[in-house]
Amino acid sequence: MTDETAQPKRFGEKPLKGAVSQELLERVGAADESAISELSRLLSPGLRLLIRRRIGPEGVDERVRETLQDVIEGIRRNSLRNPDELPAFVREILQARMARHIEPAPLSLRQDSPDSVRAMREVLESLPALEREALTRFYVLEQPVEQVAVEMGVSAEDLRAIKICAKELFLQKKQEVEAAAEKDA
């Protein structure tokens, strides 16, 4: 048997429940800097992992800081006192923050230029079958995220991550295609 107290305390795992007490939340609500530091220390590894999975390594530290600030402000405003509610509270804030960082594609990318179409085709062809099917269902068949996630057996967060990665790949590929077109011209 393993001793739960010896395992790392990370966001979303059982050991976190015992690490965050009602007293700690009350001190965070009262703006106690040592309590804020302790809560940040406890939540940061899990947040870092979740954010990195969704957006990749770029900007993780900044998003962790922003999310922690939102959590602390939320605790202060809402007077969250039940430590058992903290994981759901943090997940809700993280999902809202991640959703705000997913911006619609600029108008220039929405045009059906030959370069855009070629870049989209190349990106789709380079993706694994699961990701290609998910993107096709969402963008081409215009199925809701929830439907695609349920029917394909992936979480909505995984689908969002697939969309973010595909968007980044598309932007990169579009630049490559445009550069090659300019070189040939």
Side-chain angles (χ1 to χ4, degrees):
M1 274 211 186
T2 61
D3 178 15
E4 275 197 354
T5 59
Q7 296 176 2
K9 293 172 177 31
R10 292 193 177 129
F11 167 70
E13 294 182 359
K14 287 184 179 183
L16 179 61
K17 280 189 175 183
V20 178
S21 65
Q22 182 176 353
E23 183 259 340
L24 178 64
L25 291 179
E26 289 171 358
R27 289 177 38 221
V28 169
D32 179 329
E33 288 300 321
S34 66
I36 291 170
S37 293
E38 183 176 345
L39 184 66
S40 297
R41 182 185 59 77
L42 291 169
L43 296 178
S44 290
L47 285 172
R48 188 173 314 300
L49 176 69
L50 292 173
I51 292 169
R52 184 182 206 101
R53 282 182 182 167
R54 290 184 188 178
I55 67 167
E58 186 90 13
V60 169
D61 291 334
E62 180 182 342
R63 299 253 167 68
V64 168
R65 276 192 303 278
E66 293 170 348
T67 304
L68 285 170
Q69 287 173 337
D70 288 352
V71 168
I72 291 163
E73 282 302 311
I75 290 171
R76 287 182 186 164
R77 273 194 315 271
N78 298 330
S79 301
L80 179 70
R81 301 287 185 249
N82 183 349
D84 292 338
E85 295 173 0
L86 183 64
F89 182 71
V90 174
R91 272 193 303 275
E92 185 177 308
I93 288 173
L94 178 60
Q95 287 173 345
R97 177 156 285 287
M98 292 286 93
R100 286 195 302 266
H101 283 285
I102 300 172
E103 301 168 3
L107 189 57
S108 63
L109 297 181
R110 295 181 197 157
Q111 298 170 352
D112 290 334
S113 71
D115 291 341
S116 292
V117 172
R118 182 173 165 211
M120 281 186 259
R121 186 173 290 121
E122 287 182 24
V123 167
L124 280 174
E125 289 171 357
S126 72
L127 293 174
L130 177 83
E131 294 178 13
R132 186 171 46 248
E133 181 181 353
L135 293 169
T136 301
R137 285 172 171 243
F138 181 77
Y139 288 111
V140 178
L141 302 176
E142 298 180 347
Q143 294 176 345
V145 169
E146 298 79 19
Q147 179 183 352
V148 175
V150 168
E151 290 178 2
M152 294 194 64
V154 298
S155 70
E157 290 81 22
D158 288 342
L159 184 56
R160 286 185 192 93
I162 290 169
K163 288 170 32 185
I164 290 168
C165 289
K167 179 180 172 184
E168 290 170 359
L169 285 170
F170 167 71
L171 291 172
Q172 180 182 359
K173 184 58 76 175
K174 185 172 186 270
Q175 289 173 344
E176 291 172 10
V177 168
E178 288 173 347
E182 286 177 18
K183 196 181 226 183
D184 292 340

